Amino acid sequence: MELASADPARAAQFYGELFGWESAGDRFKLNGRAVAGLTRSGANRPDGWLTHLSTPDLEETLEQVALAGGACVSQPADAHGGRRAVVADPAGAVIGLWEPADFAGAQAGGEPGTMSWPELITDDPNAAALFYGSAFGWLLRHDFGVGEWLNQAHDAIAGLASGYRGAWWRAAFQVEDIAATANLCERLGGALLAEPTEAGLSEFAELRDPFGARFTVAAPVHHPVELTVSLGSLGGLPAFE
């Protein structure tokens, strides 16, 4: 995940206060581990968050994207730790491709302050299934009321949810308390764009930083589980006296 900003220094200060990140050149770190990238926006890289997929062969993946009906938005270029390109699916959802050299990507996950579940929001799930299946060999299954992308090894790697504003990849970060994070975002000059809602096993809220970049915060939903045991169904047990 990488943020492009016209003012990287001020953006680094905002996200540092919001998520507890440290700024380390072109990367955000959490306790010394890289959790996201940071770059200056420009003609080929507009403001905002961009999700990246790792690939062992950038050129081959670009060919697969083109054959599936996608488009190359930004041609392959060297970057700190690897090579990258930016592509768009037929519905316009933009995503980065990363061919690692000595930097594989995020070094932490599954805890507050790290990237949450990457998810494609789209108003045409059928078209998305065709494109991502053809371009990357992904399979789509539905679980917990939402779509889930599986790679060729059948590992769950991303989600899919229905939207109404076209298609885009949601930048989501895990937090402990969504309400507290939203309040802090507003105090730091950002805004709450969409109230918290539940989807699957998580709760999401959409925020905007002070410079216009949208992002999402997510927290696990903990529902109480009630277990009921019927003694009559447990044969072979001694009776109570």
Side-chain angles (χ1 to χ4, degrees):
M1 188 72 72
E2 183 187 61
L3 173 69
S5 173
D7 193 338
R10 291 178 62 202
Q13 182 178 1
F14 169 80
Y15 287 98
E17 295 186 49
L18 188 68
F19 293 139
W21 290 349
E22 310 114 30
S23 177
D26 62 350
R27 291 170 191 165
F28 289 112
K29 291 189 175 183
L30 180 67
N31 299 322
R33 300 162 298 168
V35 291
L38 175 64
T39 189
R40 185 175 296 277
S41 56
N44 295 325
R45 181 67 171 86
D47 287 356
W49 282 99
L50 181 66
T51 301
H52 287 71
L53 303 176
S54 180
T55 173
D57 190 324
L58 191 56
E59 276 69 24
E60 180 181 345
T61 303
L62 286 172
E63 289 181 9
Q64 294 172 343
V65 167
L67 289 172
C72 183
V73 176
S74 178
Q75 294 295 326
D78 292 333
H80 181 195
R83 298 171 65 235
R84 86 164 90 232
V86 180
V87 299
D89 69 18
V94 177
I95 195 164
L97 300 176
W98 179 257
E99 182 183 299
D102 59 1
F103 180 68
Q107 298 169 333
E111 62 183 275
T114 65
M115 180 181 177
S116 182
W117 188 233
E119 192 167 41
L120 174 68
I121 312 300
T122 179
D123 54 10
D124 194 342
N126 292 329
L130 289 174
F131 171 76
Y132 289 93
S134 177
F136 305 129
W138 292 357
L139 301 174
L140 181 63
R141 76 175 181 189
H142 291 273
D143 207 355
F144 301 114
V146 295
E148 191 173 64
W149 296 107
L150 307 179
N151 62 15
Q152 293 178 351
H154 283 235
D155 298 318
I157 55 173
L160 179 144
S162 297
Y164 57 89
R165 294 180 296 178
W168 73 99
W169 278 89
R170 173 157 60 188
F173 301 95
Q174 186 173 330
V175 297
E176 290 186 358
D177 187 314
I178 285 186
T181 303
N183 288 336
L184 177 57
C185 177
E186 292 179 320
R187 292 201 303 272
L188 294 173
L192 173 65
L193 300 181
E195 295 288 339
T197 58
E198 288 189 24
L201 299 178
S202 297
E203 185 179 34
F204 295 89
E206 188 178 2
L207 308 178
R208 185 183 64 216
D209 70 20
F211 320 105
R214 296 179 175 228
F215 63 100
T216 298
V217 290
V221 176
H222 302 289
H223 292 295
V225 177
E226 182 177 337
L227 298 177
T228 302
V229 177
S230 173
L231 293 179
S233 65
L234 302 177
L237 292 179
F240 289 100
E241 295 182 355

